[in-house]
Amino acid sequence: MAEKKVYERTLEETPTWAVAAVFFVLIAVSVVIEHLIHIIGKWLNNRHKKALFEAVEKVKAELMLLGFISLLLTVLQEPISGICVSKSVANSWHPCTDKLEKDAYSSDNKESRRRLLSFLDSGTASTRRSLATKGYDKCADEGKVAFVSAYGIHQLHIFIFVLAVFHVLYCLFTLALGRTKMKKWKAWENETKTIEYQYYNDPERFRFARDTSFGRRHLNIWSKSSISLWIVCFFRQFLGSVNKIDYHTLRHGFIMAHLAPGSETKFDFQKYISRSLEEDFKDVVGITPILWFIATLFLLTNTHGWFAYLWLPFIPLFIILLVGAKLQVIITKLGLRIQERGDVVKGAPVVQPGDDLFWFGRPRFILFLIHLVLFQNAFQLAFFSWSTYEFALKSCFHKKTEDIAIRISMG
């Protein structure tokens, strides 16, 4: 049966009340969202949360970027879909093989299949695939295939939006987890104001470095070998990344390096760390050009035969475990530096951090890796949600149950 060329109605053929209703809803929703963001920003500014206020400004910038991308996709949708390529080129690098595509197209439910065929025979099947476009596939008349169909561009449009939303939500969730974890540090901070703590850390008291609480935790046989040091630090991150001894030692080292003498009982290190977390959140909430480029590479990994589900979701897990182990190694090396300066310490041990302890002498490289992990996790969950919405749970993108389980559990 010959296919009919079905055209969608233009605005000339659409009731004015329908156009006005859609226009009003879009404007109303946009104004409400903009007003909510403004209220949140004003509230943070009034509470002197400068870093979080700047994070909200970054979110607004991301929304503006999404709007610009949306505009580009809308304007360039027809020109891009009008680019024709040969069928041999179009049949390369698919998420599925031809056989899998046929299997995915046929439904397990025979009744659903009959309804679908009936829908195709009626000549209206092109309606859904011509969403946001007018006309038909002109490349088919030339015996070719569209570079990217208009409906494919529409689906990509939705995915970019879902990815940005998931990234922001993932960052907010991580910030909430960080704040929850730091609540127990408040008790450690209050302990530094007690007489018992000041007596135990009497600045006139001499001790061997290895006999201090920090020394007993980090100055051991395993800390003398790089291999055993990394092994112990790798497993130690699962038992509590920062304990009370490390917190008190790092606090004392910070105060000795940056504050005047006598600030030990006045300075609130926990609040300082909380503000630092907000500063880091301001950096990771945005999507940089590098991350957009990485997202492009991630899209390529869905090619059939690459088995991306067996290795791609494990990359962020590997990175975050490596970063966790590295931070533990840095804390231990701070203890080793104390011992290198002398076996006897006066008062509490004073750690001296340095950029040389970090990879490439750049502490912010670790922040970039954390940013990358957050983005890749958001990408995995966003891609899973989007593909499930667009193509159902079992599709070319999720051919096996273990694929679904790995993507969700790793995210």
Side-chain angles (χ1 to χ4, degrees), residues 200-209 211-212 343-348:
Y200 184 75
N201 294 278
D202 184 358
E204 301 300 325
R205 182 181 180 186
F206 289 90
R207 288 177 294 173
F208 286 106
D211 291 336
T212 61
D343 288 333
V344 179
V345 295
K346 183 180 179 181

Side-chain angles (χ1 to χ4, degrees), residues 86-103:
S86 63
K87 290 184 178 180
S88 60
V89 174
N91 287 333
S92 60
W93 289 44
H94 277 210
C96 300
T97 61
D98 292 339
K99 179 179 182 301
L100 289 172
E101 285 175 354
K102 292 177 182 177
D103 292 341

